[in-house]
Amino acid sequence: MAERESLKDVQLRLLARLQAARTESVAMASWLAVECASHRLLLPLSQAGEIFAWSGTQPVPHARPWFLGVANLRGVLAGVVDLAMLLGSQQTRTEQALSECSLVTLGSLLDVNAALLIDRFAGLRGRQDFVADEEPAPGAADYLGGVKVDAHGGRWQVLDLQVLAGDAGFLNIGA
């Protein structure tokens, strides 16, 4: 079985890559690539906050199924949203599956104390990592931007966190 990389190692590696990109004048990463269920998503780095390991939540009664509860993240209470469920996945997660997930907070400039549950980090991506752009699917939520296609044919949906943070459906957690 492949050895899992610790969250701290991932954060240090991402920080090192960002610093190297700034000092070496190479193409800058624009997105944090993540995977949630069958979704491959690109979160704008300018809108994303910190990365945390899953540590559980305090449930909130009468909340929508995708709202997992509230977590204390470095002394700040944040609502935790199962991003896969928000995007329509019907998968239910076991405690074992949750323990392998991570949280990405929305950036502080968005003024919403929320964290998104994601399954896996896929690294940093920049414009140079994609060979084609596609329009969002007709009828897609406003926060789902265009699709970027990589050289291997992988399709990555841009998730605009600023639009998500202002979306009435996202802000209304009541069932």
Side-chain angles (χ1 to χ4, degrees), residues 1-174:
M1 177 185 264
E3 185 175 321
R4 287 192 47 212
E5 190 172 24
S6 77
L7 183 60
K8 184 176 180 180
D9 291 339
V10 170
Q11 288 176 318
L12 290 173
R13 186 170 42 83
L14 290 175
L15 179 62
R17 286 185 62 189
L18 283 172
Q19 289 172 339
R22 286 186 191 119
T23 59
E24 296 174 10
S25 300
V26 297
M28 185 66 170
S30 301
W31 299 284
L32 177 62
V34 301
E35 294 178 5
C36 296
S38 63
H39 303 279
R40 289 180 174 175
L41 301 166
L42 298 172
L43 310 179
L45 283 176
S46 63
Q47 299 172 359
E50 292 186 71
I51 299 167
F52 293 90
W54 171 260
S55 61
T57 61
Q58 183 65 38
V60 174
H62 311 294
R64 294 183 190 236
W66 48 260
F67 189 79
L68 299 178
V70 179
N72 182 343
L73 304 174
R74 287 192 206 189
V76 175
L77 293 179
V80 176
V81 172
D82 185 331
L83 187 52
M85 286 186 75
L86 179 68
L87 296 174
S89 174
Q90 298 300 314
Q91 88 179 50
T92 54
R93 299 177 192 266
T94 64
E95 281 300 317
Q96 174 64 33
L98 283 170
S99 71
E100 297 173 4
C101 293
S102 298
L103 300 173
V104 177
T105 60
L106 274 62
S108 60
L109 293 176
L110 300 181
D111 203 28
V112 175
N113 288 346
L116 304 174
L117 180 78
I118 58 108
D119 294 332
R120 186 178 89 75
F121 291 102
L124 297 174
R125 300 289 192 276
R127 297 189 190 286
Q128 72 280 1
D129 295 314
F130 301 101
V131 296
D133 293 325
E134 298 174 0
E135 294 295 317
D142 291 340
Y143 48 80
L144 293 174
V147 174
K148 307 272 184 202
V149 181
D150 64 26
H152 304 291
R155 299 167 44 85
W156 296 84
Q157 178 87 51
V158 175
L159 176 63
D160 189 325
L161 298 178
Q162 184 171 9
V163 175
L164 178 67
D167 184 78
F170 177 75
L171 295 173
N172 180 10
I173 65 164

